Coordinates of all heavy atoms in Angstrom, one line a residue:
Chain B
Y90 N 13.7 -6.7 28.8 CA 13.0 -6.9 30.1 C 12.3 -5.6 30.6 O 11.7 -5.7 31.6 CB 14.0 -7.4 31.2 CG 15.2 -6.6 31.4 CD1 15.2 -5.3 32.0 CD2 16.5 -7.0 30.8 CE1 16.3 -4.6 32.2 CE2 17.6 -6.2 31.1 CZ 17.6 -5.0 31.8 OH 18.7 -4.3 31.9
R91 N 12.3 -4.6 29.8 CA 11.7 -3.3 30.2 C 11.2 -2.6 29.0 O 11.8 -2.5 28.0 CB 12.8 -2.5 30.9 CG 12.3 -1.1 31.3 CD 13.4 -0.2 31.8 NE 12.9 1.1 32.3 CZ 13.7 2.1 32.5 NH1 15.0 2.1 32.4 NH2 13.1 3.3 32.9
A92 N 9.9 -2.1 29.1 CA 9.4 -1.2 28.1 C 8.5 -0.2 28.8 O 7.4 -0.5 29.3 CB 8.5 -2.0 27.1
Q93 N 9.0 1.0 28.8 CA 8.2 2.1 29.5 C 7.7 3.1 28.5 O 8.5 3.6 27.7 CB 9.2 2.8 30.5 CG 8.5 3.9 31.2 CD 9.4 4.4 32.3 OE1 10.5 4.0 32.5 NE2 8.9 5.5 33.1
D94 N 6.4 3.3 28.4 CA 5.8 4.1 27.4 C 6.4 5.5 27.4 O 6.6 6.1 28.5 CB 4.3 4.2 27.6 CG 3.6 4.6 26.3 OD1 3.7 3.9 25.3 OD2 2.9 5.7 26.3
N95 N 6.6 6.0 26.2 CA 7.1 7.4 26.0 C 8.5 7.5 26.7 O 8.9 8.6 27.1 CB 6.2 8.5 26.5 CG 6.6 9.8 26.0 OD1 7.3 10.0 25.0 ND2 6.1 10.9 26.7
Y96 N 9.3 6.4 26.7 CA 10.6 6.5 27.4 C 11.6 5.6 26.7 O 12.2 5.9 25.8 CB 10.5 6.3 28.9 CG 11.5 7.0 29.6 CD1 11.8 8.4 29.4 CD2 12.3 6.4 30.6 CE1 12.8 9.0 30.1 CE2 13.3 7.0 31.3 CZ 13.6 8.3 31.0 OH 14.6 9.0 31.7
V97 N 11.7 4.4 27.3 CA 12.8 3.5 26.8 C 12.3 2.0 26.8 O 11.4 1.6 27.5 CB 14.1 3.6 27.6 CG1 14.7 4.9 27.6 CG2 13.8 3.1 29.0
V98 N 13.0 1.3 25.8 CA 12.9 -0.2 25.9 C 14.4 -0.6 26.3 O 15.4 0.0 25.7 CB 12.5 -0.8 24.6 CG1 12.9 -2.3 24.5 CG2 11.0 -0.7 24.5
Q99 N 14.5 -1.6 27.1 CA 15.9 -2.0 27.6 C 16.1 -3.5 27.6 O 15.1 -4.2 27.8 CB 16.0 -1.4 29.1 CG 17.3 -1.6 29.7 CD 17.4 -0.9 31.1 OE1 16.9 0.3 31.2 NE2 17.9 -1.5 32.1
W100 N 17.3 -3.8 27.4 CA 17.6 -5.3 27.3 C 19.0 -5.6 27.8 O 19.8 -4.7 28.1 CB 17.5 -5.8 25.8 CG 18.5 -5.1 24.9 CD1 19.8 -5.6 24.6 CD2 18.3 -3.9 24.2 NE1 20.4 -4.7 23.7 CE2 19.5 -3.7 23.4 CE3 17.3 -2.9 24.1 CZ2 19.7 -2.6 22.6 CZ3 17.5 -1.8 23.2 CH2 18.6 -1.6 22.5
G101 N 19.2 -6.9 28.1 CA 20.5 -7.3 28.7 C 20.2 -8.4 29.7 O 19.4 -9.3 29.5
D102 N 21.0 -8.3 30.8 CA 20.9 -9.3 31.8 C 20.1 -8.8 33.0 O 20.7 -8.0 33.8 CB 22.3 -9.7 32.3 CG 22.3 -10.5 33.6 OD1 21.3 -11.2 33.9 OD2 23.3 -10.3 34.4
V103 N 18.9 -9.1 33.1 CA 18.0 -8.5 34.1 C 18.4 -9.0 35.5 O 18.1 -8.3 36.5 CB 16.5 -8.9 33.8 CG1 16.2 -10.4 34.1 CG2 15.6 -8.0 34.7
T104 N 19.1 -10.1 35.6 CA 19.6 -10.5 37.0 C 20.7 -9.8 37.5 O 21.0 -9.8 38.7 CB 20.0 -12.0 37.0 OG1 21.3 -12.1 36.3 CG2 18.9 -12.9 36.3
E105 N 21.4 -9.1 36.7 CA 22.7 -8.3 37.0 C 23.7 -9.2 37.6 O 24.6 -8.8 38.4 CB 22.3 -7.2 38.0 CG 21.3 -6.2 37.5 CD 21.0 -5.1 38.4 OE1 22.0 -4.5 39.0 OE2 19.8 -4.7 38.6
K106 N 23.6 -10.5 37.4 CA 24.6 -11.5 38.0 C 25.5 -12.2 37.0 O 26.4 -12.9 37.4 CB 23.8 -12.5 38.8 CG 23.2 -12.0 40.0 CD 22.3 -13.0 40.8 CE 21.7 -12.4 42.0 NZ 20.7 -13.3 42.6
K107 N 25.2 -12.0 35.7 CA 26.0 -12.7 34.7 C 27.4 -12.1 34.6 O 27.6 -10.9 34.5 CB 25.3 -12.6 33.3 CG 25.9 -13.5 32.2 CD 25.0 -13.5 31.0 CE 25.6 -14.4 30.0 NZ 24.7 -14.7 28.9
A108 N 28.4 -13.0 34.7 CA 29.8 -12.5 34.6 C 30.1 -11.9 33.3 O 29.7 -12.4 32.2 CB 30.7 -13.7 34.9
L109 N 30.9 -10.8 33.3 CA 31.3 -10.2 32.1 C 32.6 -11.0 31.5 O 33.4 -11.5 32.4 CB 31.7 -8.8 32.3 CG 30.5 -7.8 32.7 CD1 31.1 -6.5 33.2 CD2 29.6 -7.6 31.5
P110 N 32.8 -11.0 30.2 CA 34.0 -11.6 29.7 C 35.2 -10.9 30.3 O 35.1 -9.7 30.7 CB 33.9 -11.3 28.2 CG 32.4 -11.2 27.9 CD 31.8 -10.5 29.2
A111 N 36.3 -11.6 30.4 CA 37.5 -11.0 31.1 C 38.0 -9.8 30.5 O 38.5 -8.9 31.2 CB 38.6 -12.1 31.2
D112 N 37.8 -9.6 29.2 CA 38.5 -8.4 28.5 C 37.5 -7.3 28.5 O 37.8 -6.3 27.8 CB 39.0 -8.8 27.1 CG 37.8 -9.5 26.3 OD1 36.8 -9.8 26.8 OD2 38.1 -9.7 25.1
V113 N 36.4 -7.3 29.1 CA 35.4 -6.2 29.1 C 35.8 -5.3 30.3 O 36.0 -5.8 31.4 CB 34.0 -6.7 29.3 CG1 33.0 -5.6 29.7 CG2 33.5 -7.3 27.9
V114 N 35.8 -4.0 30.0 CA 36.2 -3.0 31.1 C 34.9 -2.8 32.0 O 33.9 -2.3 31.5 CB 36.5 -1.7 30.5 CG1 36.9 -0.7 31.5 CG2 37.8 -1.9 29.6
A115 N 35.0 -3.3 33.2 CA 33.8 -3.3 34.1 C 33.3 -1.9 34.4 O 32.1 -1.6 34.5 CB 34.1 -4.1 35.3
K116 N 34.3 -1.0 34.5 CA 33.9 0.4 34.9 C 34.6 1.4 33.9 O 35.6 2.0 34.2 CB 34.4 0.7 36.3 CG 33.7 -0.2 37.4 CD 34.1 0.2 38.8 CE 33.4 -0.7 39.8 NZ 33.7 -0.3 41.2
P117 N 33.9 1.5 32.8 CA 34.5 2.5 31.8 C 34.5 3.9 32.3 O 33.7 4.2 33.2 CB 33.6 2.3 30.6 CG 32.8 1.1 30.8 CD 32.7 0.9 32.3
P118 N 35.2 4.8 31.6 CA 35.1 6.2 32.0 C 33.8 6.8 31.6 O 33.0 6.1 30.8 CB 36.2 6.8 31.2 CG 36.5 5.9 30.1 CD 36.2 4.5 30.6
A119 N 33.4 7.9 32.1 CA 32.1 8.5 31.8 C 32.2 9.2 30.4 O 32.5 10.4 30.2 CB 31.8 9.6 32.8
E120 N 31.9 8.4 29.4 CA 32.0 8.9 28.0 C 30.7 9.6 27.6 O 30.0 9.1 26.7 CB 32.3 7.7 27.1 CG 33.6 7.0 27.4 CD 33.9 5.8 26.6 OE1 33.1 4.9 26.5 OE2 35.1 5.8 26.0
Y121 N 30.4 10.6 28.3 CA 29.1 11.3 28.1 C 29.2 12.6 27.2 O 28.2 13.0 26.7 CB 28.6 11.7 29.5 CG 28.4 10.6 30.5 CD1 28.3 11.0 31.9 CD2 28.4 9.3 30.1 CE1 28.1 10.0 32.8 CE2 28.3 8.3 31.1 CZ 28.1 8.6 32.4 OH 28.0 7.6 33.4
D122 N 30.4 13.1 27.1 CA 30.6 14.3 26.2 C 32.1 14.3 25.9 O 32.8 13.5 26.4 CB 30.1 15.5 26.8 CG 30.7 15.9 28.1 OD1 31.7 15.3 28.5 OD2 30.2 16.8 28.8
W123 N 32.5 15.3 25.1 CA 33.9 15.3 24.7 C 34.3 16.9 24.5 O 33.4 17.7 24.3 CB 34.2 14.5 23.5 CG 33.5 14.9 22.3 CD1 33.9 15.7 21.3 CD2 32.2 14.4 21.9 NE1 32.9 15.8 20.3 CE2 31.9 15.0 20.6 CE3 31.3 13.5 22.4 CZ2 30.7 14.8 19.9 CZ3 30.1 13.2 21.6 CH2 29.8 13.8 20.5
A124 N 35.5 17.2 24.6 CA 36.0 18.5 24.4 C 35.7 18.9 22.9 O 36.0 18.1 22.0 CB 37.5 18.7 24.6
A125 N 35.0 20.0 22.7 CA 34.5 20.3 21.4 C 35.7 20.7 20.4 O 36.4 21.6 20.7 CB 33.5 21.5 21.5
S126 N 35.7 19.9 19.4 CA 36.7 20.3 18.3 C 35.9 20.5 17.0 O 36.4 21.0 16.1 CB 37.8 19.3 18.1 OG 37.2 18.0 17.9
D127 N 34.6 20.0 17.0 CA 33.8 20.1 15.9 C 33.0 21.4 15.9 O 32.5 21.9 17.0 CB 32.8 18.9 15.8 CG 32.5 18.4 17.2 OD1 32.7 19.1 18.2 OD2 32.1 17.2 17.2
A128 N 32.9 22.1 14.8 CA 32.1 23.3 14.7 C 30.6 22.9 14.4 O 30.2 22.8 13.3 CB 32.7 24.2 13.6
V129 N 29.9 22.8 15.5 CA 28.5 22.3 15.4 C 27.6 23.5 15.5 O 27.4 24.1 16.5 CB 28.2 21.4 16.5 CG1 26.7 21.0 16.5 CG2 29.0 20.1 16.4
D130 N 27.0 23.9 14.4 CA 26.1 25.1 14.4 C 25.4 25.1 13.1 O 25.7 25.9 12.2 CB 27.0 26.3 14.6 CG 26.1 27.5 15.2 OD1 24.9 27.3 15.3 OD2 26.6 28.5 15.3
R131 N 24.5 24.2 12.9 CA 23.8 24.1 11.6 C 22.3 24.4 11.6 O 21.8 24.7 10.6 CB 24.0 22.7 11.1 CG 25.5 22.3 10.9 CD 26.0 22.9 9.6 NE 25.4 22.4 8.5 CZ 25.8 21.3 7.8 NH1 26.7 20.6 8.3 NH2 25.1 20.9 6.7

Side-chain angles (χ1 to χ4, degrees):
Chain B
Y90 54 75
R91 177 187 182 194
Q93 181 172 358
D94 200 61
N95 193 21
Y96 207 52
V97 299
V98 161
Q99 185 173 318
W100 62 93
D102 165 34
V103 70
T104 72
E105 302 181 47
K106 290 180 180 169
K107 186 169 184 171
L109 295 169
D112 55 351
V113 164
V114 178
K116 297 182 179 182
E120 301 177 306
Y121 304 163
D122 60 10
W123 61 90
S126 57
D127 29 19
V129 173
D130 202 0
R131 297 284 293 277

